[in-house]
Amino acid sequence: MQTCDLLIKDSTVLIKSDVISRHADIAVSDGRILEVGPDLGKMYQAAETLCGKGKLFMPGLIDSHMHTGQQLLKGQVLDAKPIIWTRIMLPFESTLTPGKMRLSAQAAALEMIKCGTAGFIDAGSYYMEDAADVYGRSGLRGALSYSTMDEEGLPDSIAMDADEAVRRTDSLYDRFHGRDNLKVYYSLRALNSCSNRLVELEAAHARERGTMLQAHMNEYMGEINGIMNREGMRPYEYLEKMQVLGPNFLGAHSLILSEQEKTLVMERGVKTCHCPFSNCGKAVPDTPQLLEMGIPVGLGTDGAAHGGLSLWNEMKIFRSVMNIYHGVPNGNPKVMPAETILRIVLEGGAAALDEEGSLGRLEPGYKADIIGINLDQPHLIPTGNVIHTLLECVNAGDVWDMIVNGRILMKDREVLSLDEERILYESRKYMESLDV
């Protein structure tokens, strides 16, 4: 018999977004999928075995845009007056400390594991070395950035020039890129807050190191108008002039795009992502057209301050928004079917993590990032279409198991890689300090 590290036996398996296999086993070794099929127990002797009966195993979800530095802002943004970035988020992030960032990362990692999010892209904040230490121990797969802005008038605690901003990311990259399951991306936090020199430096350093560059793009009209007033062109056109756009660029949000910008994004191979709950207060993206153009689209939560880190919630909201905005006016109830939304989260997320062809499916050679859903529950069975039920009815609390790079991080809802009780205790202490 062949040997493997892990064997998941007799489960329903979502091999990719539109393919289900029943009574299948999954063999894993060296962090990758060896084989998916029936009766693999007759072929493989496993160091560890999981029973898949009554469960569905699928690729781990990927959050293409979140904010560790805003994890402690949960509940403080909803119904707030605009503009929340300048009134709430930026002032809060300027008060971060290493201790706050460690708690933020611990709470975020715990929440993501419990939600089934195996991979994530952090948009960048401060004291990211402390966050990286936590995420490395958690076992999650992620990409981290430093918040990089050099505009005048920022709070003293986060003010920096372009050279200092890029040095911070260089240091983070040198220490953590390729360590555990982590990568480091370069970042332009907000184009209106970045000088031309900072844009040039960040793009050049990302290219030199063969990693991704990310930015908040075309999220609201105030941002777009700011760039147009400063540069005389729209945001993506400006980045094209600066020779920034390419397959290593991730444009978060990308909501309000001109036809010229869509063409640029397509021609340069740019990756994009939307954050449905957060975006609903700003604009509805032209996602059906972006997909038709072959533009990679992922889905993100925009961080816990915008409704928590559950991608299950985001998928439901996204389906509803796409249907009422794009589907109903055109008489197309399948404008954004369940299979497409799952592909956006899984394979679009893999593209955002720069892991196209190695994440987002449970096929031989793919990295073993896997979650198990407990289907044996009244709100999930009986069902006539498991894929539809995944989108319509599954919630974060239905995620039973998580495996990342072949390592079991959660088994039967018990988190194995983090001290859940201690994290919840410290989170309660923090909440009490707010006198909530």
Side-chain angles (χ1 to χ4, degrees):
M1 295 182 71
Q2 301 179 62
T3 61
C4 65
D5 297 329
L6 175 67
L7 186 65
I8 302 170
K9 300 184 68 174
D10 192 22
S11 179
T12 299
V13 178
L14 182 77
I15 294 175
K16 58 180 182 177
S17 60
D18 59 352
V19 176
I20 287 280
S21 181
R22 310 263 185 190
H23 300 292
D25 302 340
I26 306 170
V28 173
S29 197
D30 296 325
R32 292 187 180 267
I33 307 291
L34 289 177
E35 193 172 352
V36 179
D39 298 322
L40 296 185
K42 298 177 181 178
M43 300 168 54
Y44 290 93
Q45 183 175 354
E48 188 166 8
T49 301
L50 290 181
C51 178
K53 189 174 182 180
K55 296 179 181 179
L56 177 142
F57 282 86
M58 62 179 287
L61 306 183
I62 299 172
D63 189 333
S64 294
H65 186 75
M66 56 82 71
H67 290 264
T68 303
Q70 296 170 9
Q71 184 73 19
L72 303 184
L73 276 175
K74 188 179 292 182
Q76 299 187 57
V77 169
L78 190 68
D79 299 333
K81 294 180 180 179
I83 298 174
I84 59 173
W85 163 242
T86 54
R87 293 184 62 253
I88 299 175
M89 291 175 167
L90 182 60
F92 174 80
E93 288 195 40
S94 72
T95 69
L96 284 171
T97 63
K100 277 187 179 180
M101 181 51 82
R102 282 193 296 271
L103 177 58
S104 297
Q106 288 167 355
L110 181 62
E111 184 174 358
M112 284 191 281
I113 291 172
K114 289 284 193 174
C115 289
T117 299
F120 67 93
I121 293 110
D122 183 292
S125 190
Y126 306 96
Y127 303 104
M128 293 307 297
E129 292 83 359
D130 295 276
D133 279 330
V134 171
Y135 283 129
R137 291 193 301 272
S138 78
L140 287 169
R141 188 181 305 282
L144 304 176
S145 294
Y146 243 103
S147 181
T148 45
M149 302 179 289
D150 64 345
E151 69 174 324
E152 295 183 0
L154 292 173
D156 290 343
S157 60
I158 60 174
M160 64 189 82
D161 62 19
D163 292 307
E164 173 62 20
V166 78
R167 274 197 299 269
R168 292 191 181 196
T169 307
D170 286 346
S171 176
L172 186 71
Y173 180 94
D174 291 341
R175 285 186 60 186
F176 292 102
H177 188 81
R179 175 174 152 183
D180 300 311
N181 296 319
L182 300 180
K183 298 181 178 184
V184 172
Y185 286 2
Y186 284 76
S187 165
L188 301 168
R189 185 69 182 267
L191 292 188
N192 288 313
S193 302
C194 296
S195 67
N196 287 351
R197 175 170 170 76
L198 180 55
V199 171
E200 290 172 347
L201 283 174
E202 290 285 306
H205 282 236
R207 281 194 299 268
E208 289 167 5
R209 288 156 179 79
T211 191
M212 298 279 286
L213 172 67
Q214 61 173 323
H216 292 74
M217 296 296 299
N218 298 55
E219 187 176 1
Y220 52 93
M221 282 308 305
E223 166 214 344
I224 294 170
N225 290 335
I227 292 296
M228 291 184 69
N229 291 336
R230 190 182 91 184
E231 303 292 337
M233 59 190 72
R234 293 176 66 90
Y236 274 108
E237 295 170 344
Y238 162 64
L239 292 184
E240 171 69 2
K241 183 191 78 169
M242 299 293 288
Q243 299 182 326
V244 168
L245 299 183
N248 74 323
F249 187 82
L250 172 60
H253 301 297
S254 294
L255 300 178
I256 310 167
L257 303 178
S258 68
E259 293 305 313
Q260 172 64 19
E261 287 180 298
K262 293 172 189 174
T263 300
L264 280 174
V265 167
M266 177 189 68
E267 291 178 347
R268 299 294 178 261
V270 166
K271 280 80 172 178
T272 66
C273 73
H274 309 317
C275 304
F277 186 75
S278 170
N279 293 163
C280 277
K282 299 156 189 170
V284 177
D286 293 326
T287 315
Q289 183 184 2
L290 299 184
L291 295 176
E292 287 178 7
M293 295 173 73
I295 295 170
V297 178
L299 220 60
T301 61
D302 210 7
H306 293 287
L309 299 180
S310 172
L311 285 167
W312 304 103
N313 289 344
E314 299 293 340
M315 285 190 276
K316 293 175 179 61
I317 294 166
F318 188 60
R319 170 62 166 75
S320 298
V321 170
M322 288 291 105
N323 196 41
I324 195 66
Y325 190 85
H326 292 295
V328 171
N330 297 304
N332 181 9
K334 290 185 65 176
V335 69
M336 195 60 61
E339 294 83 354
T340 298
I341 295 176
L342 286 168
R343 179 166 54 85
I344 286 172
V345 172
L346 300 176
E347 298 185 33
L353 256 181
D354 201 22
E355 294 278 2
E356 290 175 284
S358 60
L359 284 179
R361 299 186 181 190
L362 300 186
E363 295 181 343
Y366 275 66
K367 294 181 180 179
D369 291 10
I370 308 168
I371 58 174
I373 310 297
N374 181 6
L375 292 179
D376 200 15
Q377 302 184 79
H379 66 289
L380 300 181
I381 58 171
T383 174
N385 188 311
V386 175
I387 293 177
H388 289 180
T389 298
L390 277 176
L391 184 79
E392 293 175 311
C393 302
V394 168
N395 296 302
D398 301 320
V399 180
W400 237 242
D401 310 285
M402 175 177 285
I403 299 150
V404 176
N405 210 42
R407 174 189 173 191
I408 300 176
L409 306 188
M410 181 170 69
K411 182 178 180 180
D412 295 331
R413 291 294 289 174
E414 179 186 358
V415 177
L416 305 179
S417 62
L418 295 169
D419 187 340
E420 180 174 359
E421 184 177 353
R422 182 181 59 80
I423 294 170
L424 292 176
Y425 170 75
E426 292 184 1
S427 297
R428 285 191 295 270
K429 281 182 61 180
Y430 177 80
M431 190 166 64
E432 289 167 2
S433 75
L434 301 177
D435 195 26
V436 176

